[in-house]
Amino acid sequence: MAKLTYSATSIADRLNVDFALFHKERKKANEVSRMVLVGSVKGKIAILVDDMADTCGTLGLAAKNLREQGATAVFAFVTHGILSGPAIKVINESALERLVVTNTIPVGEKQALCDKIEVVDVSHVLAETIRRSHFGESVVCSLPYF
């Protein structure tokens, strides 16, 4: 957790934006028992970042809490859009403006049911990673802002 927080705060500093986070507790899988916002979002556009979205309960709850705390809009960026069970219903009924997922998992049929979902193609990134790995080249990100 400390490394993730450091990375997120480091990126926020480099982008010259404010940083807030949710501390969440789970009593069982796919069920958040408690969620506490640390930081202020009043009057700001909030961006949620996560590794995956399964049932989207956490994203829906987080978006609701962010809007209640004064965020003007809420967007979510997720690497893997699993989108199982009630996910589409949760997203459609949520305070999210947009959920952006990569195409690491096909979401075509689900995207057709929810106009809030946007898919970003990462095939070129994966292909380049495979190419570099095959030729023994570095796969470390060389972007100047990280």
Side-chain angles (χ1 to χ4, degrees):
M1 175 72 169
K3 185 174 182 175
L4 175 64
T5 302
Y6 171 77
S7 297
T9 55
S10 176
I11 291 169
D13 288 345
R14 291 172 189 247
L15 294 173
N16 197 31
V17 297
D18 292 330
F19 171 77
L21 63 86
F22 277 109
H23 171 74
K24 68 180 177 183
E25 298 172 9
R26 295 182 188 271
K27 290 192 176 175
K28 60 182 183 178
N30 288 333
E31 189 175 306
V32 175
S33 61
R34 185 172 164 219
M35 182 181 280
V36 178
L37 179 64
V38 179
S40 175
V41 296
K42 187 173 179 138
K44 297 190 168 66
I45 296 171
I47 301 172
L48 295 164
V49 180
D50 210 342
D51 59 343
M52 66 180 166
D54 188 0
T55 61
C56 294
T58 300
L59 285 177
L61 183 58
K64 178 179 182 273
N65 287 341
L66 288 165
R67 290 304 297 258
E68 287 173 353
Q69 293 298 316
T72 58
V74 181
F75 296 85
F77 294 84
V78 176
T79 304
H80 308 291
I82 299 167
L83 308 178
S84 69
I88 299 304
K89 182 177 190 299
V90 170
I91 297 165
N92 278 328
E93 295 176 358
S94 76
L96 287 171
E97 299 286 328
R98 173 101 33 214
L99 170 61
V100 180
V101 300
T102 68
N103 64 338
T104 59
I105 297 173
V107 296
E109 292 175 13
K110 295 171 185 174
Q111 186 180 16
L113 301 172
C114 180
D115 62 358
K116 292 183 179 185
I117 297 173
E118 183 175 331
V119 179
V120 175
D121 180 16
V122 293
S123 60
H124 60 287
V125 175
L126 298 176
E128 181 62 13
T129 301
I130 292 167
R131 187 197 69 74
R132 288 182 181 205
S133 180
H134 177 76
F135 289 107
E137 299 172 9
S138 173
V139 294
V140 176
C141 181
S142 61
L143 297 174
Y145 49 87
F146 285 96

